[in-house]
């Protein structure tokens, strides 16, 4: 299912604001992390080759044109989410998967995510702080409701615990990268795109500096005369 999604089409043709295709969970601009970090193992394959492999994997699992996989995507009822899920729906249809989109008000959708009353859920995550743990911590087995897919791998948990005890920032980054690669190899979730910050700033403003968390304190800024 993850291989069959055309992330480049989604980011270049639908989102069109500088979003990048996501083949990992931690955004590459995140601080305290490795350069050229973990990626989904099939990320560099041409999209057509990924579609072929997706059809083969579905067939191995028993899903054929006569017995297609049928799933429901639960999404919040906003325009951006619907557009994105319609693209995913079309990509899955191309490999023989029948996906139905069910929309709900955001609060209702996330209540269903928390209670696990869904098959596939669509959501975004914005880091609370500029560090890989704000992303990777979501997938720990003891995270609770926000580990929506109930991913559980003792080795993943152990690596994050090891990183918590590592004082050297570079060694810590390597441990976290090994944890992320493990989670990506398990196909624990389906990353689609990395978002962007959109700000309209007057050229009269000084002290405005682009940064990944998009923190902009007014005390740092002034207006030119």
């Amino acid at each position: 299912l993850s291989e069959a999604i055309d992330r480049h089409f989604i980011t270049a043709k639908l989102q069109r604001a500088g979003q990048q295709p996501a083949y990992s969970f931690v955004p590459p601009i995140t601080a305290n992390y490795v350069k050229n970090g973990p990626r989904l193992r099939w990320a560099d394959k041409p999209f057509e080759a990924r579609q072929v492999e997706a059809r083969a994997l579905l067939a191995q699992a028993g899903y054929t044109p006569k017995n297609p996989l049928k799933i429901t995507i639960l999404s919040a009822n906003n325009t951006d989410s619907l557009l994105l899920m319609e693209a995913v729906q079309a990509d899955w249809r191309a490999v023989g998967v029948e996906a139905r989109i069910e929309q709900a008000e955001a609060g209702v959708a996330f209540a269903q995510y928390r209670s696990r009353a869904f098959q596939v859920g669509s959501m975004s995550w914005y880091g609370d702080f500029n560090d890989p743990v704000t992303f990777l911590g979501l997938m720990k087995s003891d995270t609770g409701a926000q580990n929506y897919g109930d991913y559980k791998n003792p080795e993943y948990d152990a690596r994050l615990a090891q990183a918590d005890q590592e004082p050297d920032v570079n060694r810590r980054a390597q441990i976290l990268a090994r944890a992320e690669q493990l989670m990506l190899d398990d196909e624990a979730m389906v990353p689609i795109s990395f978002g962007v910050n959109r700000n309209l700033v007057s050229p009269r403003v000084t002290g405005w500096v682009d940064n990944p968390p998009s923190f902009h304190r007014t005390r740092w800024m002034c207006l030119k005369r």
Side-chain angles (χ1 to χ4, degrees):
L1 292 175
S2 186
E3 274 191 289
I5 296 175
D6 190 347
R7 293 157 174 80
H8 287 273
F9 174 83
I10 288 172
T11 53
K13 301 297 184 181
L14 296 184
Q15 296 175 318
R16 298 183 300 173
Q19 292 90 343
Q20 296 297 310
Y23 295 99
S24 64
F25 189 39
V26 179
I29 59 172
T30 304
N32 308 317
Y33 207 37
V34 296
K35 292 182 183 289
N36 303 316
R39 282 165 63 83
L40 290 161
R41 295 293 185 186
W42 43 260
D44 295 324
K45 291 184 179 180
F47 180 59
E48 292 76 11
R50 286 165 31 200
Q51 287 180 308
V52 170
E53 186 167 28
R55 292 187 189 98
L57 290 169
L58 285 163
Q60 288 176 24
Y63 297 109
T64 64
K66 292 184 178 180
N67 180 40
L69 174 61
K70 298 179 181 180
I71 52 180
T72 299
I73 304 170
L74 176 62
S75 174
N77 61 350
N78 61 69
T79 304
D80 288 346
S81 293
L82 178 59
L83 186 67
L84 180 59
M85 289 304 101
E86 286 177 338
V88 171
Q89 181 186 43
D91 285 339
W92 285 352
R93 186 185 302 119
V95 295
V97 175
E98 296 180 9
R100 182 175 68 89
I101 299 173
E102 178 182 307
Q103 287 194 291
E105 190 275 329
V108 173
F110 276 85
Q112 289 180 251
Y113 295 156
R114 289 191 295 272
S115 63
R116 307 304 191 255
F118 72 101
Q119 291 182 315
V120 175
S122 166
M123 62 203 70
S124 301
W125 180 258
Y126 296 89
D128 295 317
F129 47 92
N130 192 7
D131 187 88
V133 166
T134 193
F135 298 96
L136 300 177
L138 290 171
M139 309 303 286
K140 290 177 65 179
S141 62
D142 61 357
T143 289
Q146 286 186 307
N147 180 0
Y148 296 114
D150 286 327
Y151 178 61
K152 184 176 182 180
N153 185 322
E155 187 177 350
Y156 181 85
D157 291 347
R159 290 180 182 181
L160 262 66
Q162 181 186 359
D164 284 345
Q165 302 300 316
E166 178 52 65
D168 183 275
V169 67
N170 293 320
R171 284 199 291 268
R172 174 181 180 269
Q174 293 292 336
I175 296 167
L176 292 173
R178 288 196 292 273
E180 184 183 8
Q181 189 64 64
L182 177 65
M183 183 266 289
L184 294 173
D185 291 346
D186 285 342
E187 300 280 359
M189 40 80 76
V190 180
I192 294 178
S193 67
F194 294 123
V196 293
N197 299 316
R198 294 182 243 189
N199 300 293
L200 185 63
V201 185
S202 168
R204 293 181 58 210
V205 174
T206 62
W208 179 284
V209 179
D210 285 328
N211 61 89
S214 197
F215 290 160
H216 305 284
R217 306 287 188 244
T218 53
R219 66 185 180 187
W220 299 337
M221 291 177 267
C222 297
L223 283 176
K224 294 179 183 176
R225 292 187 179 276

